[in-house]
Amino acid sequence: MIKSIQAAKHHIVLSSYIFDYDSLGRQFVNALAQAQQRGVLVHVLLDGIGVGYSWRKSDRALKKRGVRTAQFLPAISFTSIRFINLRNHRKILCVDGEEAYIGGMNISKSNLVKSAKHPIDDVHFKVVGSVIDQISQVFIEDWFFATRELIQFPSYSPSTLKVKNDKSVVARVIQDGPDEHHNRIRWTLINALVCAQKSVKIITPYFIPDQTLMTSLHAAALRGVSVEIIVPEHSNILFVDWVMEANYPRIIEHGIKIYKNKRPFDHSKIVLIDDVWSFIGSTNWDARSLEFNFEINLECFDTDLNAQLTELFESKKFNAEGVVEEDVRGLSIYKKIRNNLFRLFSPYL
């Protein structure tokens, strides 16, 4: 991503939920500021809550060096305080209409797994091709919402395609949010699960699906589809782990298999169905992502991509431990009460 920013010639748009002002965040600040100084138009959109993770240091550093920034629904505002629960969770970088990046990765040195004190394992994707226009359009809409300013971003041109071969993937953007796009990702998942014939593979940091999604997964398992889910052994939110643990008996009762991935904390978000459908992006399997957040995912139809991601899934499963019914039911009374008490708050997590 930093190399793409350094090579930018005309325009950069960047949207991130968290933009830490650590050793890696400062590299991004420097690269964006240097691009601005050489005449590239740079727009950075930060979530009003997410920017608080770094005490707004990254926002102030960018502005100090002349980079245009905006906050999506600022937390400290009389007009938007009533929308404090609605967050922009999208992670987007588009450069010159030639390259785009999309996935679940925030800007933080924690993603440098080998050197981070609290490492986070994640998956992010570099995209080239005409679907970039759909990704940049989402940013344009978000920027307009935050600033009332309509920016112009270069459209994709086939002459700018930079790939080693002519292999292409059929893909489209699915955006979601508590606005006119409400529930699009949820319904996309439900309809994809209905179409599953052989296998469903899910990697998610938080697995707290609503009843409709859970029923869709159970229906797939009951008709003989292999359903496998990888979650972290320990996430970064302790009470979410308790809620997931409370749900394990209900999830596995129809043959669905859950694996707890060992450290580092796995923040990846991938859904694979059969050998052709892949769903990647920023969405978690919880109420916050599917009901309250503004999210962006990429729906892909391609056997080669699916095979590569399946290989990644299997490598993560190799580092994971399966959830066994006897262990779940053997929890102490205290833990069962604690887990089920927090499960009552599932619609708000």
Side-chain angles (χ1 to χ4, degrees):
M1 293 171 73
I2 291 173
K3 286 181 179 179
S4 292
I5 293 170
Q6 291 171 339
K9 298 179 178 65
H10 306 293
H11 207 147
I12 298 170
V13 295
L14 171 65
S15 178
S16 184
Y17 177 65
I18 295 174
F19 193 137
D20 281 342
Y21 194 65
D22 51 24
S23 57
L24 184 65
R26 288 191 287 271
Q27 290 183 51
F28 271 87
V29 170
N30 290 334
L32 291 165
Q34 290 167 6
Q36 179 78 24
Q37 290 167 6
R38 65 175 184 269
V40 178
L41 293 174
V42 182
H43 295 82
V44 178
L45 181 64
L46 303 172
D47 180 74
I49 292 292
V51 70
Y53 282 73
S54 63
W55 301 99
R56 300 181 62 188
K57 290 181 181 179
S58 52
D59 188 29
R60 291 196 295 267
L62 287 165
K63 286 179 176 177
K64 186 176 181 180
R65 299 186 61 176
V67 176
R68 288 287 309 279
T69 70
Q71 288 189 36
F72 192 95
L73 291 176
I76 306 174
S77 168
F78 288 113
T79 57
S80 62
I81 188 67
R82 64 188 187 276
F83 304 122
I84 196 168
N85 210 33
L86 310 181
R87 306 318 326 159
N88 191 329
H89 195 240
R90 295 166 178 153
K91 290 91 175 174
I92 295 171
L93 172 63
C94 294
V95 178
D96 292 338
E98 298 181 3
E99 300 172 338
Y101 293 82
I102 186 173
M105 192 176 293
N106 293 296
I107 297 175
S108 169
K109 69 177 183 181
S110 296
N111 295 117
L112 304 176
V113 176
K114 293 182 179 179
S115 59
K117 183 178 180 181
H118 302 289
I120 299 175
D121 197 5
D122 215 327
V123 182
H124 220 60
F125 297 84
K126 179 178 179 180
V127 181
V128 296
S130 57
V131 78
I132 291 175
D133 290 342
Q134 295 181 24
I135 298 173
S136 61
Q137 182 60 36
V138 173
F139 181 92
I140 291 169
E141 293 173 5
D142 287 349
W143 184 268
F144 181 78
F145 175 82
T147 66
R148 312 313 295 177
E149 175 192 4
L150 185 61
I151 62 174
Q152 301 294 322
F153 189 81
S155 298
Y156 163 77
S157 173
S159 62
T160 64
L161 189 61
K162 297 179 180 180
V163 290
K164 295 181 179 179
N165 55 54
D166 59 356
K167 182 72 175 71
S168 62
V169 174
V170 176
R172 65 170 176 169
V173 163
I174 307 291
Q175 65 182 110
D176 199 347
D179 54 3
E180 66 266 29
H181 305 298
H182 188 228
N183 269 337
R184 279 192 179 179
I185 288 177
R186 180 171 171 269
W187 282 111
T188 299
L189 289 170
I190 291 170
N191 282 282
L193 290 170
V194 169
C195 296
Q197 298 179 4
K198 295 184 296 183
S199 66
V200 174
K201 294 178 171 62
I202 300 167
I203 306 175
T204 181
Y206 318 112
F207 186 72
I208 314 175
D210 61 24
Q211 187 59 48
T212 305
L213 271 171
M214 199 66 253
T215 300
S216 299
L217 287 165
H218 280 148
L222 285 168
R223 67 175 185 267
V225 176
S226 169
V227 180
E228 298 178 297
I229 304 163
I230 296 179
V231 297
E233 183 178 35
H234 303 290
S235 76
N236 61 337
I237 306 175
L238 185 60
F239 56 83
V240 171
D241 293 343
W242 298 341
V243 175
M244 289 196 291
E245 193 170 57
N247 284 332
Y248 286 159
R250 299 174 179 86
I251 296 170
I252 64 178
E253 63 182 350
H254 294 306
I256 295 176
K257 296 179 180 179
I258 301 180
Y259 301 92
K260 294 188 290 185
N261 193 8
K262 300 175 183 177
R263 282 298 200 184
F265 165 48
D266 197 344
H267 193 247
S268 309
K269 312 157 199 303
I270 295 174
V271 183
L272 307 172
I273 292 183
D274 295 337
D275 59 356
V276 67
W277 194 81
S278 307
F279 203 48
I280 59 180
S282 63
T283 304
N284 301 311
W285 284 65
D286 59 17
R288 183 161 298 281
S289 265
L290 296 168
E291 291 288 339
F292 303 128
N293 286 349
F294 293 83
E295 306 279 5
I296 182 170
N297 277 41
L298 202 60
E299 182 182 34
C300 304
F301 297 84
D302 184 74
T303 54
D304 290 343
L305 175 62
N306 186 283
Q308 291 180 47
L309 294 177
T310 297
E311 185 177 343
L312 175 68
F313 182 94
E314 294 300 328
S315 68
K316 289 179 180 292
K317 193 169 76 171
F318 183 77
N319 190 43
E321 180 182 358
V323 174
V324 181
E325 184 176 1
E326 289 76 15
D327 293 340
V328 174
R329 299 195 182 279
L331 289 175
S332 66
I333 295 296
Y334 157 72
K335 288 185 177 180
K336 287 181 179 179
I337 294 173
R338 177 201 65 188
N339 294 351
N340 282 283
L341 175 63
F342 277 87
R343 192 173 68 88
L344 296 175
F345 298 93
S346 295
Y348 309 100
L349 300 180

